[in-house]
Amino acid sequence: MKPLDEATLIPSHMPTTNRPSNMGASVNDNASRLDAVPKVTGSAKYGKDYHLPNSLYIVFIRCPWGAADFVSADEAAAKATPGVVEMQVRGKSCTYHGQSIGYIAADSPRAAKRALRALAPKWKRTPVKTQISDTVKDNPDIGDDGQNNMNGAEVTHEAVYTTPVQTHSSLETHGGAVDHRGDRATVYASTQGTSSSRDGLGGPLGLGQGDFELVCEYVGGGFGSKLGGPGKELTTAAQLAAKYKRPAYMFCNRSEEHLDTGNRPSSRTLARIGFKKDGSPVGGEIRTWGGTGVAGGGGGASIPSGRYKLGEIKKLHDDVSFNGGGPRAFRAPGHPQAAFAEELMLDEVAAKLGMDPLALRMKLAGGEHRKMFEAGAKLIGWSNRKPNGSQNSALRTGYGAGAAGWGSAGPGGAAEVVIARDGSVESRTGTQDIGTGQRTGMGIVTADALGIPLKYVSVKIGRSTLPPGPGSGGSVTTPTTAPTMTAVAKAAKTQLLELLATQANAKPDEFSIKDGVVLRNGEKYLTWEEACGKLPNDGITANKGKGERGDGHSNGVQFVKLDVDTETGVIHLRHVVAIQSCGRVICRKTAESQIIGGVIQGLSFALFENKLLDRNTGAMVNDNFESYKILGPGDMPHIEPVLWSKGQSGFKALGEPPTIPTAGATACALFNAIGRPVRDLPLTPDKVLAALAAGQGGAA
Amino acid sequence: MPDDSVHNAPTGPGCGRSCNCGRANADADGLIRDPKSNGDGVSRRSFIKTLGASAAVSSLSATSESRANALLGREVPKSAAMLIDGPEPVDVTLNINGKPLAVKVEPATTLLEALRFHLNLTGSKEICDRGACGGCSVIVDGKLVNSCMMLALDAVGAQVTTVEGLARDGKLDPVQESFVRHDGLQCGYCTPGLVMACRALLNDNPKPTLEEIKKGLSGNLCRCGTYTNIFNAALEASGQAPIMDQKMEGA
Ligand code: FES
Ligand code: FES
């Protein structure tokens, strides 16, 4: 339980006032993250921080090429390396760079790596495919009926849009540390699914589910790549820990994280679409391909997104395999790729129609999106936008817009709320906080349901022994757990008020709680702490309650303003406005952060990110952070997150939608500035210069 | 294959800091990294030996201190330069957060490894292990350093401040406090590095402009996307107003 010591609370409840639109938008406007202090002082322990005494350290033996047959390795030399405990080499043919063919376990990380070097596996390379265009070379019609739904169109548009493979690049890599004590174990994992990871570990650990606990109190990012079961890193650590009855540790290094922990698949979109002169949609056909590496599935690019009316669209999607690591869900899977194609396509159509692209969107978008577009246009200064390609200066300014949408989820998961006699409250649920603010959100809804200040509440999450909660995926964590936690906290409150009523020989409905004061018939009756002092020794525990579902979509729009240096081709981001609804906002600061973070990842996707495979060998050439560039502080525009909360109720999705429209809006802004579309992400200087050089009329 | 792109990569986040640029691009085990990871490497030890082949061998502490001196720009006594350490683990004392801490490390051990693995000071994060992300930032004798790019032996005789040493007497550093207030963190994995980079920036430049803040922090990466809030935190921690957003009607 949390000590009720003011000193520990000092920075936790301080308002920031620099985002006036968001003042008053949420259940709690002022609260800072409940786990902010451990994070800024370095005391927060992530899975990767658990170096347990006497631990085994595991490294994977990995294929260095896109495709190769394992030939031989110096196993004797590797085994003879001091400190090596066990080695397994499963020689085989590999189909992507980073594919594991076994492991070495040793007494220290240095010993394991020395042995890996001594092993010196030999490989025979085989031919590779490294991208979608190695397989898909032309632009086939969908079906052979000659129908493309464009009959009656006055303006048509056909173009191909492509996006590269993007890696999640979570800063804490994949893996886990296992403390096996023979008949019980503690597993320190880096996961987005506390329960799902636990479910996969009983076998490898050789223990029943009640005999071990999975702990992930802090997770250094995941973005989808840490969903599902324990993964091979943690599974291997669990097996070896069980075998040797000693701790075992396996975490990927940065290169392995890029190579073998999932990615956002590349995409190719062929759009053929028709419009009337006034901008009304006629229809068309949209064919998409997803570059799913060695795995199938996960390549879906959802166009039309439903955010715009495009008429009758004929659709076909295919996954294309090549010699790259398989994809995993990545923040709004399929959507940023699709939005890039869809938004830039709309801007190109608008240019052909001679329409302002925002005016075209106002025609095609739904009601809430239209209101958001209107509001956002004022914030970004859309009226300063110059017509496409009308600027001649070296530095040209462009404006772009895009829309986001995401469905909602219903209540679920289990939760427990405990009220102790000293007034402290603990809310418990077995979810995890991967940076989303889940821990803080649970505290805020508990405090709100009980009618007390947040300082009384502490939150326990990230342990498999807690009441099970959902994984952090699909933006459902908060929409699932917040209603449940609210209902359970309300049940705890009912118990408390009933007890006070019994003791006072009164009716429960005479009592209520507001701002930490218990009221009887509207008059101050007891302070929260006095009321809790009347509880039996064990306090109150509630764990039942059914929450309410938040209805409807989480909609959003974004505007990007940028400058293009036409001499160097470099894009300078200047300003982003991101308006987002998410139902009832729980914590203003963490909600703003989710929006800002989604935008930053979207900008990074737009300008920099590209998992590059060597065309001849299939090896990833930029498996690091120097040449796999992600957006850094120096690249930042001013980002204004706006919480669109008026009239909203229910808890809805927020994590994923803010990263959907960003890259599309950025590409539109570039098109506006230079008058030429760049239809291939990332929007690097060479492509900008090529587009400028392509001159009027030709394809970019 | 020494990779000096770490320090001047045109597309990289930009180093902009005083790391130990004498260090080749080596793995944590001291081997210079082959891009295909399983290939042969040149050991840092042999690299150092080559450099110091003609130098006299003296006591370890003189060795370490001399290199630390050179690194930190202090005067180096001529006779003590370029000595050989190891190959066995050696006992050294590091001064971390004002405390002398004894630790036994192989000479190729980085300061980051010594902190995390040997001293259980896990606030500094290993994210790229090659100077590209700033997650391992510490302050060594007043300078911001990527601790993954500095040998532990080179820190002998220097005052090292890690994120664990920033709060004093149970009170957060103003930088930490403004990070909390402005939500300059999400998953928190980059946070210790960014807090240290921010502290070092404000030590050098007590009232940085927004552009100076961006530049000063440009050796650090955050994947969750917290920069906007960190800029505000840095402004506020230096007594300046955060960036004001516009008021929107109808929100
Ligand atoms: S871990 Fe040291 S700079 Fe990245
Ligand atoms: S807060 Fe997650 S990487 Fe920065």
Side-chain angles (χ1 to χ4, degrees), chain B residues 112 125-136 146-149:
Chain B
L112 178 63
K125 301 300 183 211
E126 184 211 289
I127 293 169
C128 70
D129 202 26
R130 54 194 279 179
C133 76
C136 60
N146 286 332
S147 61
C148 72
M149 298 298 282

Side-chain angles (χ1 to χ4, degrees), chain A residues 162-166 264 336-337 339-340 344 558 560 562 569 571 573 576 598-610 628-631 659-670 678-688, chain B residues 223:
Chain A
T162 51
T163 66
V165 175
Q166 180 191 26
R264 185 190 296 287
Q337 300 97 300
F340 163 68
L344 184 53
Q558 290 182 14
V560 174
L562 50 76
I571 293 172
L573 300 166
V576 177
V599 169
I600 289 177
Q601 280 186 0
L603 294 171
S604 192
F605 181 54
L607 296 194
F608 304 120
E609 295 186 47
N610 186 359
Y628 186 96
K629 161 94 166 127
I630 66 172
L631 195 106
T659 206
I660 294 173
T662 321
T666 307
C668 293
L670 173 63
V678 175
R679 298 177 182 139
D680 177 43
L681 289 186
L683 308 170
T684 47
D686 55 323
K687 293 178 201 165
V688 173
Chain B
R223 185 49 157 173

Side-chain angles (χ1 to χ4, degrees), chain A residues 447 450-453 456 513-518 524 526-529:
Chain A
L450 290 172
I452 58 174
Y456 290 106
I513 308 174
K514 196 168 182 281
D515 300 330
V517 178
V518 179
K524 178 175 172 178
L526 294 170
T527 66
W528 170 254
E529 283 163 59

Side-chain angles (χ1 to χ4, degrees), chain A residues 366-378:
Chain A
E368 188 169 49
H369 278 130
R370 287 204 300 273
K371 282 196 199 126
M372 289 175 164
F373 275 132
E374 263 169 25
K378 286 194 196 127

Side-chain angles (χ1 to χ4, degrees), chain A residues 33 110 114 593 629 640, chain B residues 11 28 106 183 187 227 246:
Chain A
R33 249 170 237 268
R110 289 173 164 275
R114 273 188 204 112
S593 283
K629 161 94 166 127
E640 286 187 84
Chain B
T11 57
E106 288 180 22
D183 206 38
C187 79
Y227 308 125
Q246 310 163 71

Side-chain angles (χ1 to χ4, degrees), chain A residues 46 169-172 219-221 223 434-435, chain B residues 127 184-191 194 221-227 230:
Chain A
Y46 297 74
S169 294
S170 311
L171 292 198
E172 185 189 26
V219 182
F223 314 110
I434 59 169
Chain B
I127 293 169
L185 56 140
Q186 291 182 37
C187 79
Y189 210 70
C190 68
T191 309
L194 272 151
L221 294 174
C222 166
R223 185 49 157 173
C224 297
T226 54
Y227 308 125
I230 288 173

